[in-house]
Amino acid sequence: MPSHTASLKLNEKYMETTYNSKQMLDTFWDAALILKRGIQNYYTRNVHYNTEHHIQPNDPYQLVSSTSHLDRDYSRAWHAHQQQQHGIHPVVIKAMGLARPDDWQQLLLEWPHKAQSDPSRLAFTVNERKGVDDKQAITTVGKYLTRHFSTLPDHAIRDLAALCGKGDCFIVNTSVQMIHHLERGPKSCMQWGQSNVDEHPYQTYAPEHGWGLAVRTIGNDTVGRALVVKNEAEKYFVRSYFRNDDGYSGRDDVLEAWLKEDGYEHRGGWNYGQRLKFIDDSNDCGFVAPYLDGCNQIVSRVGNTLVIDDDGEYECSNTDGDADATNSDDCADCGDRVRSGDGYWVGYHEDSLVCSSCEDGYRMGRGRGGTTYRFHEEHAVYVESQDEYYHQDYLEDNNIVELDNGDYEHVNEAIEIDGNFYTVDDERICLFQDTQEWGFQCDGWQCVASCDWYTDSVECVEVDDEKYHPDNLHRGGALNPTTATETSGQ
């Protein structure tokens, strides 16, 4: 099975063999409790607690940089407030269960949680000053996980991020409900209208044979669906559908992530031997035939049922309720036989047919002239902010630029400095107020009172080793201007 379809529970393929996630999480929550109780009180006033928990009075988790902080009754009350107001983001905890964070102390201090303005995004505290001011930065879950978990592969991060998608996911197990959500959900040739329910091909996906329909809804709208099979031995699905505004029904990553979390496996086709309901009909094949997703589309009649059978007489690859006598073609990649109606057309001209197994190596994305089509994953570049793949040979056609760190970004989400591109939220860059140009923070200085940045050509005023813009001298605690000293930005 291709790695990008692996369940999040199959993490041993990319976890460090020496990584103990339970120990990591125990340490993380222990340190969080220290911050919540207050570091100063913890070290100097709660001797009984220190003795009881065998903690040495020396900041075992490196949560403060020096003991001078303790002399100022430094307790990080803002962090205790964040913990009380927001639970840490559950997907971050899931990620810690899969792989070691690059710097768990920094992750703890940022206290990532669901953004109140948009629960599908993540909010975190950038630095100490932002924490005191109760100001959090907001970003996508995927971007945050990428920054903190460099050992997690892209497909694992995408699956984790998909768990934060909007809507409610559930499974319906009656034919009436299945057809109801099919008709009002993602666009499909199988949508026949409610007047044809009794003769609808979806009636063949009978719940008594283990069939069900996974559904994702937002409000009263059905936005995603996936046929599933569940029996005593296994739970799996073959394909999901997501309703897009442009009419193309793509894959529903959110619904698939939810199914994987619930133990459903993503497969390339329905099992041989899987049964469907047989319904008499006067069409050419003599029965109501469903369109079977995936690579196994051949059926045989066994009594009052249809059985998926590679040696069967009929191929269920039509959307009109009829089936064809079996025939096939060759896959352009591996040369295996592709049943009629199966496979996928790939390339700019969509003139090459590949089987379902080989299709896993392709990505639907934007390429030549901004056109959307399938191209091989070795040419695919994923841009998270756009949630799309792009052909590496046609990045300019789609306004995609390469960043200084080798990643890719849409030009509207990037800043160009001296011919190189950086993300707009790169912590190394800033907007200088005096020039209104972007540059590196190391080439200027920041006013403590306003948090604005200025180039070194603007003189600052230093008060108690803090830098102020002259216009902001009386803000931010600089109450005694007579002690101020004018200096250059350096």
XYZ file of all heavy atoms in Angstrom, residues 227-301:
619
model
N -18.305 5.454 0.395
C -18.843 4.128 0.679
C -17.851 3.359 1.546
O -16.623 3.450 1.350
C -19.086 3.367 -0.617
C -20.398 3.655 -1.361
C -20.345 3.055 -2.763
C -21.596 3.120 -0.591
N -18.377 2.601 2.509
C -17.519 1.825 3.403
C -18.075 0.410 3.517
O -19.257 0.155 3.262
C -17.431 2.461 4.805
C -16.857 3.865 4.723
C -18.802 2.478 5.494
N -17.206 -0.501 3.900
C -17.603 -1.871 4.227
C -17.112 -2.168 5.634
O -15.955 -1.898 5.972
C -17.014 -2.898 3.232
C -17.160 -4.319 3.779
C -17.707 -2.791 1.890
N -18.017 -2.709 6.447
C -17.666 -3.073 7.822
C -18.244 -4.445 8.122
O -19.433 -4.687 7.943
C -18.216 -2.040 8.807
C -17.947 -2.379 10.272
C -18.551 -1.342 11.198
C -18.320 -1.700 12.652
N -18.941 -0.699 13.576
N -17.384 -5.353 8.559
C -17.828 -6.664 9.018
C -16.977 -7.080 10.208
O -16.170 -6.284 10.706
C -17.766 -7.692 7.882
C -16.393 -7.747 7.223
O -15.376 -7.831 7.901
N -16.363 -7.697 5.889
N -17.139 -8.299 10.661
C -16.415 -8.732 11.852
C -14.911 -8.765 11.636
O -14.140 -8.639 12.585
C -16.912 -10.118 12.275
C -18.366 -10.134 12.752
C -18.807 -11.521 13.178
O -17.980 -12.458 13.051
O -19.950 -11.657 13.636
N -14.484 -8.941 10.398
C -13.055 -9.113 10.124
C -12.335 -7.815 9.770
O -11.125 -7.697 10.005
C -12.861 -10.129 8.995
N -13.051 -6.834 9.207
C -12.342 -5.659 8.697
C -13.277 -4.483 8.491
O -14.509 -4.629 8.448
C -11.673 -6.010 7.363
C -12.659 -6.501 6.312
C -11.994 -7.121 5.103
O -10.760 -7.030 5.002
O -12.699 -7.710 4.274
N -12.660 -3.310 8.364
C -13.359 -2.074 8.021
C -12.504 -1.346 6.996
O -11.310 -1.123 7.233
C -13.548 -1.184 9.259
C -14.332 -1.829 10.380
C -14.780 -0.811 11.423
C -13.654 -0.082 12.081
N -14.112 0.811 13.171
N -13.092 -0.969 5.854
C -12.276 -0.299 4.846
C -13.154 0.530 3.901
O -14.382 0.413 3.902
C -11.440 -1.309 4.057
C -12.217 -2.234 3.134
C -12.272 -1.991 1.767
C -12.874 -3.376 3.627
C -12.962 -2.843 0.896
C -13.552 -4.226 2.774
C -13.600 -3.967 1.412
O -14.275 -4.797 0.566
N -12.482 1.387 3.125
C -13.148 2.190 2.100
C -12.219 2.293 0.904
O -11.015 1.991 1.006
C -13.528 3.582 2.622
C -12.360 4.476 2.913
C -11.975 5.464 2.006
C -11.630 4.351 4.097
C -10.892 6.294 2.261
C -10.550 5.185 4.364
C -10.192 6.159 3.451
N -12.765 2.712 -0.241
C -11.970 2.772 -1.468
C -11.760 4.205 -1.944
O -10.660 4.578 -2.343
C -12.644 1.933 -2.581
C -11.971 2.165 -3.931
C -12.589 0.454 -2.223
N -12.803 5.020 -1.885
C -12.670 6.379 -2.400
C -13.617 7.310 -1.665
O -14.690 6.900 -1.230
C -12.978 6.415 -3.906
C -12.814 7.790 -4.538
C -13.104 7.775 -6.026
N -13.029 9.115 -6.586
C -13.273 9.410 -7.852
N -13.615 8.457 -8.709
N -13.187 10.654 -8.291
N -13.194 8.539 -1.510
C -14.064 9.565 -0.927
C -14.334 10.642 -1.968
O -13.576 10.799 -2.929
C -13.417 10.191 0.315
O -12.249 10.922 -0.060
N -15.407 11.396 -1.751
C -15.794 12.477 -2.654
C -16.035 13.741 -1.834
O -16.645 13.695 -0.755
C -17.073 12.125 -3.420
C -16.918 10.992 -4.398
C -17.016 9.672 -3.969
C -16.667 11.231 -5.750
C -16.872 8.617 -4.865
C -16.527 10.184 -6.648
C -16.626 8.891 -6.203
O -16.486 7.847 -7.086
N -15.564 14.868 -2.364
C -15.742 16.161 -1.701
C -16.369 17.150 -2.672
O -15.965 17.218 -3.836
C -14.398 16.694 -1.214
C -14.452 18.099 -0.664
C -15.144 18.383 0.499
C -13.822 19.142 -1.330
C -15.203 19.669 1.000
C -13.879 20.431 -0.845
C -14.567 20.690 0.326
N -17.344 17.887 -2.210
C -18.047 18.839 -3.069
C -17.270 20.139 -3.189
O -17.095 20.874 -2.217
C -19.448 19.130 -2.510
C -20.293 19.970 -3.466
C -21.707 20.111 -2.938
N -21.775 20.955 -1.767
C -22.875 21.093 -1.019
N -23.952 20.394 -1.306
N -22.864 21.879 0.021
N -16.794 20.435 -4.383
C -16.101 21.687 -4.665
C -17.034 22.658 -5.382
O -17.966 22.254 -6.077
C -14.872 21.447 -5.558
C -13.751 20.770 -4.807
O -13.492 21.099 -3.651
N -13.096 19.816 -5.438
N -16.756 23.946 -5.225
C -17.583 24.964 -5.885
C -17.472 24.909 -7.401
O -18.393 25.307 -8.118
C -17.201 26.365 -5.385
C -17.559 26.560 -3.908
O -18.475 25.847 -3.438
O -16.925 27.399 -3.260
N -16.323 24.412 -7.913
C -16.140 24.378 -9.367
C -16.779 23.154 -10.014
O -16.678 22.946 -11.219
C -14.652 24.436 -9.729
C -13.860 23.269 -9.130
O -14.492 22.368 -8.552
O -12.631 23.274 -9.247
N -17.456 22.332 -9.207
C -18.173 21.186 -9.742
C -17.378 19.896 -9.743
O -17.951 18.818 -9.860
N -16.035 19.963 -9.627
C -15.218 18.757 -9.617
C -15.260 18.122 -8.228
O -15.001 18.791 -7.230
C -13.781 19.092 -10.001
C -12.827 17.938 -9.784
C -12.822 16.852 -10.651
C -11.948 17.936 -8.711
C -11.959 15.793 -10.458
C -11.078 16.881 -8.514
C -11.094 15.814 -9.389
O -10.242 14.768 -9.194
N -15.611 16.852 -8.143
C -15.685 16.150 -6.862
C -14.336 15.514 -6.564
O -14.028 14.424 -7.074
C -16.790 15.092 -6.894
O -18.051 15.699 -7.061
N -13.542 16.186 -5.766
C -12.228 15.667 -5.418
C -12.280 14.785 -4.190
O -13.337 14.385 -3.716
N -11.127 14.475 -3.666
C -11.005 13.626 -2.487
C -11.271 14.440 -1.231
O -10.829 15.575 -1.118
C -9.595 13.034 -2.446
C -9.379 12.001 -1.371
C -8.019 11.368 -1.553
N -7.055 11.939 -0.621
C -5.773 11.575 -0.564
N -5.324 10.677 -1.406
N -4.965 12.118 0.301
N -11.993 13.858 -0.270
C -12.283 14.534 0.987
C -11.255 14.107 2.030
O -11.407 13.087 2.698
C -13.696 14.210 1.465
C -14.144 15.114 2.612
O -13.252 15.637 3.324
O -15.350 15.306 2.795
N -10.182 14.890 2.182
C -9.115 14.550 3.126
C -9.617 14.517 4.564
O -9.133 13.731 5.383
C -7.962 15.549 3.005
C -7.207 15.406 1.699
O -7.172 14.290 1.172
O -6.668 16.421 1.207
N -10.559 15.411 4.889
C -11.078 15.469 6.255
C -11.830 14.181 6.592
O -11.609 13.557 7.639
C -12.009 16.688 6.433
C -12.637 16.683 7.827
C -11.229 17.980 6.204
N -12.721 13.766 5.699
C -13.491 12.545 5.940
C -12.572 11.325 5.979
O -12.754 10.418 6.809
C -14.551 12.388 4.851
C -15.514 11.205 5.003
C -16.276 11.281 6.316
C -16.486 11.154 3.827
N -11.571 11.279 5.103
C -10.652 10.145 5.089
C -9.846 10.075 6.378
O -9.616 8.987 6.927
C -9.723 10.231 3.880
C -10.420 9.960 2.559
C -9.452 9.715 1.412
O -8.243 9.553 1.691
O -9.905 9.677 0.246
N -9.405 11.228 6.889
C -8.663 11.236 8.152
C -9.541 10.732 9.290
O -9.087 9.994 10.174
C -8.152 12.645 8.446
N -10.813 11.142 9.276
C -11.750 10.691 10.308
C -11.954 9.173 10.226
O -11.970 8.479 11.251
C -13.084 11.419 10.149
C -14.126 11.004 11.153
C -14.254 11.435 12.438
C -15.190 10.053 10.937
N -15.324 10.826 13.046
C -15.914 9.969 12.149
C -15.584 9.281 9.847
C -17.027 9.142 12.291
C -16.690 8.443 9.993
C -17.396 8.382 11.201
N -12.092 8.644 9.014
C -12.271 7.208 8.843
C -11.037 6.439 9.324
O -11.156 5.405 9.995
C -12.544 6.889 7.368
C -13.957 7.190 6.859
C -14.013 7.092 5.343
C -14.975 6.234 7.489
N -9.858 6.926 8.997
C -8.641 6.248 9.430
C -8.522 6.246 10.951
O -8.107 5.251 11.555
C -7.419 6.917 8.801
C -7.323 6.717 7.294
C -6.177 7.530 6.710
C -6.173 7.450 5.189
N -5.111 8.288 4.598
N -8.891 7.367 11.575
C -8.878 7.424 13.031
C -9.835 6.402 13.625
O -9.616 5.883 14.722
C -9.269 8.834 13.506
C -8.124 9.798 13.640
C -7.141 9.367 14.708
O -7.505 9.383 15.901
O -6.013 8.997 14.365
N -10.923 6.118 12.917
C -11.923 5.166 13.404
C -11.589 3.734 13.019
O -12.395 2.827 13.237
C -13.306 5.551 12.858
C -14.437 4.924 13.657
O -14.306 4.839 14.906
O -15.450 4.520 13.055
N -10.422 3.528 12.432
C -9.974 2.176 12.131
C -10.269 1.681 10.736
O -10.031 0.502 10.427
N -10.788 2.539 9.855
C -11.057 2.130 8.477
C -9.785 2.235 7.651
O -9.060 3.230 7.726
C -12.155 2.999 7.855
C -13.552 2.639 8.318
C -14.061 3.135 9.515
C -14.357 1.797 7.560
C -15.338 2.805 9.955
C -15.634 1.459 7.985
C -16.115 1.963 9.180
O -17.377 1.628 9.604
N -9.524 1.220 6.838
C -8.333 1.189 5.982
C -8.689 1.679 4.578
O -9.765 1.360 4.055
C -7.801 -0.243 5.911
C -6.508 -0.369 5.125
C -6.007 -1.806 5.064
O -6.632 -2.670 5.719
O -5.021 -2.060 4.347
N -7.783 2.437 3.971
C -7.978 2.925 2.602
C -7.373 1.900 1.641
O -6.166 1.628 1.686
C -7.300 4.284 2.433
C -7.602 4.931 1.115
N -6.978 6.082 0.696
C -8.456 4.583 0.123
C -7.442 6.419 -0.490
N -8.342 5.514 -0.852
N -8.201 1.329 0.754
C -7.734 0.313 -0.171
C -7.967 0.739 -1.614
O -8.738 1.649 -1.887
C -8.444 -1.022 0.099
C -8.129 -1.603 1.475
C -8.798 -2.942 1.680
N -8.492 -3.493 2.999
C -9.032 -4.603 3.480
N -9.905 -5.292 2.740
N -8.717 -5.036 4.679
N -7.334 0.002 -2.529
C -7.444 0.332 -3.944
C -8.667 -0.235 -4.620
O -8.989 0.151 -5.750
N -9.366 -1.161 -3.970
C -10.563 -1.755 -4.565
C -11.312 -2.579 -3.541
O -10.782 -2.920 -2.476
N -12.562 -2.909 -3.874
C -13.380 -3.730 -2.975
C -12.894 -5.176 -3.021
O -12.424 -5.661 -4.049
C -14.852 -3.641 -3.373
C -15.360 -2.230 -3.423
C -15.692 -1.521 -4.527
C -15.563 -1.355 -2.308
N -16.099 -0.252 -4.192
C -16.028 -0.120 -2.824
C -15.406 -1.481 -0.929
C -16.333 0.965 -2.009
C -15.702 -0.391 -0.115
C -16.154 0.805 -0.646
N -13.024 -5.859 -1.907
C -12.534 -7.239 -1.807
C -13.235 -8.169 -2.788
O -14.444 -8.052 -3.002
C -12.759 -7.776 -0.392
C -11.786 -7.194 0.609
O -10.897 -6.441 0.244
N -11.960 -7.549 1.866
N -12.474 -9.091 -3.342
C -13.108 -10.193 -4.060
C -13.940 -10.987 -3.055
O -13.494 -11.273 -1.936
C -12.066 -11.096 -4.712
C -11.287 -10.430 -5.828
C -9.900 -10.462 -5.874
C -11.965 -9.759 -6.848
C -9.198 -9.849 -6.900
C -11.275 -9.146 -7.881
C -9.898 -9.185 -7.900
O -9.215 -8.568 -8.924
N -15.131 -11.328 -3.459
C -16.035 -12.038 -2.565
C -17.024 -11.132 -1.857
O -17.971 -11.623 -1.228
N -16.816 -9.814 -1.932
C -17.759 -8.883 -1.319
C -19.107 -8.956 -2.050
O -19.170 -8.913 -3.274
C -17.213 -7.452 -1.369
C -18.177 -6.391 -0.878
C -18.575 -6.578 0.573
O -17.731 -6.901 1.412
N -19.851 -6.412 0.868
N -20.179 -9.053 -1.286
C -21.506 -9.241 -1.867
C -22.260 -7.921 -2.017
O -22.054 -6.981 -1.238
C -22.328 -10.216 -1.008
C -21.764 -11.633 -1.027
C -22.564 -12.580 -0.135
N -22.041 -13.934 -0.236
C -22.456 -14.852 -1.108
N -23.436 -14.556 -1.966
N -21.922 -16.054 -1.135
N -23.140 -7.913 -3.018
C -24.071 -6.816 -3.250
C -25.459 -7.411 -3.474
O -25.609 -8.601 -3.772
C -23.666 -5.981 -4.470
C -22.278 -5.341 -4.471
C -21.352 -6.150 -5.373
C -22.322 -3.900 -4.909
N -26.455 -6.565 -3.358
C -27.832 -7.028 -3.549
C -28.136 -7.183 -5.043
O -27.800 -6.311 -5.844
C -28.799 -6.028 -2.912
C -30.255 -6.453 -2.946
C -31.107 -5.417 -2.219
C -32.574 -5.821 -2.209
N -33.403 -4.819 -1.469
N -28.768 -8.282 -5.412
C -29.179 -8.501 -6.801
C -30.599 -7.962 -6.983
O -31.522 -8.333 -6.251
C -29.138 -9.980 -7.162
C -29.546 -10.262 -8.574
C -28.615 -10.213 -9.599
C -30.875 -10.547 -8.898
C -28.982 -10.465 -10.914
C -31.253 -10.798 -10.215
C -30.306 -10.751 -11.224
N -30.776 -7.073 -7.992
C -32.079 -6.486 -8.289
C -32.362 -6.711 -9.766
O -31.627 -6.240 -10.633
C -32.096 -4.979 -7.958
C -31.729 -4.748 -6.480
C -33.465 -4.371 -8.264
C -31.567 -3.280 -6.125
N -33.440 -7.440 -10.072
C -33.808 -7.715 -11.468
C -34.072 -6.423 -12.232
O -34.589 -5.445 -11.681
C -35.077 -8.579 -11.512
C -34.740 -10.065 -11.421
O -33.851 -10.506 -12.180
O -35.350 -10.742 -10.588
N -33.700 -6.424 -13.518
C -33.953 -5.255 -14.362
C -34.028 -5.725 -15.819
O -33.499 -6.788 -16.178
C -32.840 -4.214 -14.194
C -33.207 -2.866 -14.783
O -33.942 -2.106 -14.119
O -32.748 -2.583 -15.909
N -34.666 -4.920 -16.657
C -34.839 -5.297 -18.070
C -33.742 -4.748 -18.961
O -33.877 -4.749 -20.187
C -36.202 -4.786 -18.574
O -36.289 -3.376 -18.436
N -32.646 -4.261 -18.387
C -31.553 -3.730 -19.208
C -30.736 -4.877 -19.806
O -31.080 -6.057 -19.653
C -30.669 -2.790 -18.381
C -30.099 -3.474 -17.144
O -30.087 -4.701 -17.049
N -29.630 -2.689 -16.196
N -29.638 -4.544 -20.478
C -28.867 -5.551 -21.213
C -28.299 -6.642 -20.308
O -28.243 -7.823 -20.699
C -27.723 -4.879 -21.980
C -28.234 -4.003 -23.113
O -29.389 -4.229 -23.552
O -27.490 -3.118 -23.565
N -27.845 -6.251 -19.111
C -27.210 -7.245 -18.242
C -28.230 -8.005 -17.394
O -27.915 -9.049 -16.826
C -26.161 -6.600 -17.348
S -26.823 -5.447 -16.110
N -29.461 -7.462 -17.291
C -30.517 -8.163 -16.575
C -30.607 -7.851 -15.102
O -31.403 -8.467 -14.385
N -29.801 -6.932 -14.611
C -29.872 -6.558 -13.188
C -29.438 -5.104 -13.037
O -28.801 -4.521 -13.933
C -29.001 -7.474 -12.324
C -27.536 -7.481 -12.709
C -26.637 -6.572 -12.156
C -27.045 -8.402 -13.644
C -25.298 -6.572 -12.509
C -25.707 -8.413 -14.004
C -24.831 -7.488 -13.433
N -29.791 -4.510 -11.897
C -29.357 -3.143 -11.596
C -27.891 -3.195 -11.174
O -27.546 -3.854 -10.183
C -30.213 -2.515 -10.481
C -29.669 -1.140 -10.105
C -31.666 -2.415 -10.926
N -27.049 -2.519 -11.935
C -25.600 -2.591 -11.694
C -25.087 -1.283 -11.099
O -25.364 -0.207 -11.626
C -24.863 -2.892 -12.998
N -24.327 -1.340 -10.020
C -23.719 -0.131 -9.459
C -22.448 0.231 -10.218
O -21.919 -0.587 -10.994
C -23.380 -0.544 -8.035
C -23.016 -1.995 -8.183
C -23.966 -2.533 -9.247
N -21.971 1.450 -10.000
C -20.628 1.794 -10.463
C -19.682 1.484 -9.307
O -19.794 2.072 -8.232
C -20.527 3.265 -10.847
C -19.106 3.675 -11.218
C -18.663 3.552 -12.518
C -18.218 4.153 -10.257
C -17.373 3.898 -12.869
C -16.926 4.501 -10.595
C -16.503 4.372 -11.898
O -15.212 4.713 -12.235
N -18.764 0.559 -9.504
C -17.844 0.159 -8.447
C -16.548 0.959 -8.550
O -15.842 0.890 -9.567
C -17.532 -1.332 -8.552
C -18.694 -2.298 -8.241
C -18.265 -3.730 -8.494
C -19.168 -2.124 -6.807
N -16.249 1.730 -7.507
C -14.987 2.467 -7.468
C -13.819 1.497 -7.315
O -13.965 0.381 -6.818
C -14.987 3.439 -6.282
C -15.840 4.665 -6.547
O -15.748 5.213 -7.650
O -16.614 5.051 -5.644
N -12.653 1.946 -7.726
C -11.446 1.172 -7.504
C -11.146 0.184 -8.607
O -11.718 0.213 -9.699
N -10.243 -0.755 -8.301
C -9.703 -1.626 -9.336
C -10.494 -2.916 -9.543
O -10.298 -3.600 -10.551
C -8.248 -1.965 -9.011
S -8.007 -2.712 -7.385
N -11.365 -3.279 -8.618
C -12.110 -4.531 -8.742
C -13.557 -4.223 -9.106
O -14.397 -3.962 -8.247
C -12.051 -5.323 -7.432
C -10.623 -5.655 -7.035
O -9.756 -5.787 -7.895
N -10.377 -5.787 -5.745
N -13.883 -4.287 -10.392
C -15.200 -3.898 -10.877
C -15.970 -5.043 -11.542
O -17.047 -4.829 -12.079
C -15.058 -2.746 -11.882
C -14.505 -1.463 -11.282
C -14.435 -0.351 -12.311
O -13.789 -0.514 -13.351
N -15.093 0.759 -12.029
N -15.429 -6.246 -11.488
C -16.044 -7.380 -12.158
C -16.913 -8.161 -11.161
O -16.498 -8.400 -10.018
C -14.984 -8.327 -12.749
C -13.965 -7.518 -13.571
C -15.638 -9.389 -13.611
C -14.582 -6.729 -14.695
N -18.136 -8.535 -11.595
C -19.053 -9.246 -10.708
C -19.608 -10.493 -11.383
O -19.631 -10.607 -12.615
C -20.233 -8.347 -10.270
C -19.717 -7.100 -9.548
C -21.102 -7.963 -11.474
N -20.048 -11.412 -10.537
C -20.784 -12.596 -10.973
C -22.077 -12.674 -10.157
O -22.145 -12.145 -9.042
C -19.967 -13.875 -10.732
O -18.784 -13.884 -11.485
N -23.079 -13.354 -10.713
C -24.300 -13.586 -9.963
C -24.191 -14.919 -9.241
O -23.871 -15.951 -9.826
C -25.521 -13.597 -10.877
C -26.815 -13.846 -10.098
C -28.039 -13.823 -10.976
N -29.238 -14.102 -10.180
C -30.468 -14.125 -10.668
N -30.672 -13.887 -11.970
N -31.504 -14.395 -9.881
